[in-house]
Amino acid sequence: MNMKKLNAALLLLALIFAACATPAAESNEKEKEKPLKEYTGEPVEHVFPDLPYAFDALEPYIDAKTMEIHYDRHHRAYYNNFINAIKGTELENASLEFIFSQMSKLSATIRNNGGGLYNHNLFWEVMAPGGQGEPSEELKNAINRTFGTMDAFKEKFNNAALTQFGSGWSWLLVKEDGSLAVSGTANQDNPLMDTEKVRGTPILGLDVWEHAYYLKYQNRRGDYVQNFWNVVNWDEVNRRYSKAKK
Ligand code: MN3
């Protein structure tokens, strides 16, 4: 074989290799992208919500500066990053609940920022200046059935908040069968995500990221968790409970 023929043969081999390699690489990529279910619900326009009260409204339990930074910087950043991540995709107008039900197939960016958006939306609403209302008879009965007493429930919820290593949340949630449970989640995960072991609809949540309490409480997460009960909006928790257990 002369050099010209050898070069031609090598070129041919390279072309064959490239032709084979390209579809193989593509099919590997496709395997990573497991198919999403199609969203068939009402189109959702994701908005950044107003804070339902002034920055200083939850004083002295949550200080104004923390509220301002938490809402206007942290929450807004989750919202902006989430919107950018879903823009122009099939998820652009899908509900957060739908997105969370597909979480295991989606990116860390959508998980962290979609979670951050939803969790803070809920968090502001389940608090009110000086606290509001009390658990409904229905919710109280369910809490007593599940945890024994209201105090035992609070202890379990506090414990989930205190034992969450690093950043995360503690939750009271309604499972698919209508029963209650307490869980803790890491980062911006929540019980709606298909990545969670304890799944359901959260009706009360507490942010235990340091950004939620560090300015006022420094390392004293326990004091922050105790004080949270002074600002719980039970009217809102009751509303979410009635809706979730239907
Ligand atoms: Mn937060």
Side-chain angles (χ1 to χ4, degrees):
M1 202 184 280
N2 65 30
M3 280 308 280
K4 232 180 203 170
K5 275 187 182 161
L6 182 63
N7 279 342
L10 284 173
L11 182 65
L12 187 63
L13 273 174
L15 285 173
I16 291 167
F17 180 76
C20 291
T22 308
E26 268 173 15
S27 88
N28 280 343
E29 275 306 302
K30 282 201 181 110
E31 270 170 31
K32 272 190 228 156
E33 298 170 19
K34 291 170 241 159
L36 287 179
K37 276 188 235 146
E38 196 188 336
Y39 180 66
T40 53
E42 283 288 306
V44 174
E45 196 197 331
H46 296 283
V47 293
F48 185 62
D50 291 333
L51 192 67
Y53 33 72
F55 292 139
D56 64 357
L58 304 182
E59 293 262 15
Y61 308 111
I62 299 180
D63 63 284
K65 195 74 199 158
T66 296
M67 276 304 299
E68 181 179 352
I69 296 171
H70 201 174
Y71 167 75
D72 208 40
R73 307 279 177 78
H74 293 281
H75 192 191
R76 194 182 293 278
Y78 295 127
Y79 171 77
N80 289 337
N81 292 337
F82 173 70
I83 293 301
N84 286 334
I86 60 169
K87 201 185 286 170
T89 75
E90 63 196 300
L91 297 173
E92 187 162 8
N93 297 111
S95 70
L96 287 165
E97 288 82 355
F98 173 83
I99 290 171
F100 296 154
S101 75
Q102 311 274 303
M103 203 74 258
S104 55
K105 301 170 188 167
L106 294 166
S107 70
T109 305
I110 292 179
R111 181 170 175 172
N112 292 334
N113 293 287
L117 172 61
Y118 177 94
N119 296 350
H120 291 86
N121 289 353
L122 178 145
F123 189 44
W124 312 138
E125 288 184 6
V126 297
M127 295 188 291
Q132 192 176 307
E134 53 182 84
S136 64
E137 280 306 307
E138 205 184 13
L139 179 58
K140 229 185 303 181
N141 290 339
I143 284 174
N144 290 340
R145 267 199 311 277
T146 308
F147 306 103
T149 62
M150 183 59 70
D151 282 346
F153 151 64
K154 286 185 179 175
E155 198 183 320
K156 191 157 189 202
F157 184 95
N158 291 355
N159 197 46
L162 292 171
T163 57
Q164 181 58 50
F165 183 75
S167 299
W169 292 74
S170 61
W171 305 100
L172 174 64
L173 60 125
V174 180
K175 293 197 283 188
E176 206 150 278
D177 65 4
S179 66
L180 292 175
V182 159
S183 82
T185 60
N187 305 315
Q188 294 296 353
D189 290 352
N190 68 50
L192 289 165
M193 295 182 179
D194 71 347
T195 46
E196 281 302 309
K197 276 198 202 108
V198 184
R199 287 185 69 187
T201 304
I203 60 173
L204 177 67
L206 174 60
D207 187 342
V208 293
W209 283 57
E210 282 190 346
H211 70 219
Y213 63 88
Y214 199 82
L215 286 183
K216 181 179 172 69
Y217 295 94
Q218 286 82 50
N219 60 325
R220 302 187 308 278
R221 188 189 281 191
D223 293 352
Y224 162 71
V225 168
Q226 277 301 335
N227 278 340
F228 170 65
W229 297 105
N230 294 311
V231 292
V232 170
N233 182 348
W234 286 107
D235 292 342
E236 176 61 16
V237 180
N238 294 336
R239 189 191 68 77
R240 286 173 181 265
Y241 176 60
S242 302
K243 195 174 161 210
K245 70 180 205 29
K246 264 174 201 152

